[in-house]
Amino acid sequence: MRTYISDLKELDDGAQVTIKGWVQETRKIKNLMFIILRDNTGTIQVTAKKDKMNNYDQLYDITRESVISIYGTLNKKSISKAGMEILGIEIEILSIAETPLPLGVIDRVSADLDTRLNNRFLDLRKPENLLIFQFESQLLFGIREFMNRENFIEVHTPKIVAAATEGGADLFKVEYFEKNAYLNQSPQLYKEILISSGFDKVFEVGPAFRAEKENTVRHLNEFTSIDMEAAFIDDKKAMEYLEEAISYAVNRTVDLMQSRLEKNGYNVKKLETPFPRITYEKAMEYLNKKGLKLNFGDDFSPEANKILAEKFLGFYFITGWPADMRPFYTHPDTNPSITKSFDLQLNDIEVTSGAQRIHNYKMLEDNFIKKGLNKNNFEFYEKAFKYGMPPHAGWGLGLDRLVMNLLGLNNVRESTLFPRDRTRLSP
Ligand code: AMO
């Protein structure tokens, strides 16, 4: 029976246990050896004495990061830092690590990001990196729990598609037998079709692909998108779902993981709703007062977003984006030059876009023309609007960016297991 290291504290002094993991460090004094053994829950000192062990000699030459199983006695009166150790009786070597390691797991000096990503399997052995993905997993669990409670159906839509949703240029082409196909940029069109199908409330967690030319700390070419769409709601209600889902998931995760997060240098604060809201036009006025020279229709540069982040700090919505800046499916407001749309920002980075959508077939057709799109490419989508389409709204939330920002990481590649960017296709 295997015991996880974090469970040792629950056991009595003198308990016989088997622990399995990686040899993090060794220290040898002739007939005595100390091993720091690591599993995904923590580390423990193993004290091996030649005269107390069946196969001490096998252990003596063990290399760092080898995988072993140790059977021994739990000593809770140990003078080691943790106050606990395992007195080894029998060791089984399961896998020997070669030397030297291409990347140190506990080295103080941190390697550059490229070296880390090239050796990602080792980089992820670092507890603070593993924790990023344990955090992400809990966060996603919380979002799923919230969506489930609100009666959303989790769906899976195709990733090989025939048309662009978020703009024609950023598409990855794939050969699909005798046709051209693309990797999907967003489940946008499919989640809307499901609204016409009467699913009422859907969400999806899946990959989205963008042939972005930008190679920045917040752009990936493949990211994980959490998408939702609901019938008979407007942009305001979609924003409420978003802030409620995020704050439920964050607060639950902080409750579960706070001490581990803090110990590893991550400072995640609990959230309160509603998040602040500002319109695009008010944000523009504010930025111009701060010395920028923005006109209606200009996008906010990283510099502009930094200025806004100083004012708001944390999560805030920017609403009412100009129609020219939003995709064809976005519903106009009563003033048709602006839309019923929003972005959710976390500090200076956009983590979500959303909107009420056009549900009127005629209005959609007009917008294809306005945006210069070939409506023939969207026939499968348009059809769903002709035979009964409810008003609807939704959003797409970038999971990698959300985790990056919540944990205060410098680069979205750090919150992505195996990132895909302009130059990286492996591992
Ligand atoms: P948008 O294109 O704004 O909207 O994308 C939604 C969210 O996805 C994340 N994201 C990215 N993350 C990492 N790298 C990228 N290259 C990247 N591109 C986007 C961001 C962004 O806020 N269909 C709409 C959503 C909707 O209206 O429902 C859409 O895809 O966090």
Side-chain angles (χ1 to χ4, degrees), residues 166 186 188 191 210 212 220 329 350-351 353 357 395:
E166 308 301 323
S186 151
Q188 183 65 35
K191 59 183 187 174
R210 306 272 170 102
E212 302 267 9
L220 295 164
Y329 49 78
E350 171 208 317
V351 291
S353 284
R357 326 296 188 182
W395 39 255

Side-chain angles (χ1 to χ4, degrees), residues 165-166 185-188 191 210 212 214 218-225 227-229 326-327 329 343-344 350-355 357 394-402 412:
T165 64
E166 308 301 323
Q185 297 167 302
S186 151
Q188 183 65 35
K191 59 183 187 174
R210 306 272 170 102
E212 302 267 9
E214 290 183 82
R218 59 184 196 287
H219 284 95
L220 295 164
N221 294 113
E222 176 177 353
F223 64 93
T224 300
S225 184
D227 272 86
M228 90 84 172
E229 202 68 31
R326 299 304 266 207
Y329 49 78
D343 278 359
L344 180 68
E350 171 208 317
V351 291
T352 313
S353 284
R357 326 296 188 182
W395 39 255
L397 162 63
L399 180 63
D400 318 69
R401 277 197 196 171
L402 179 68
V412 71

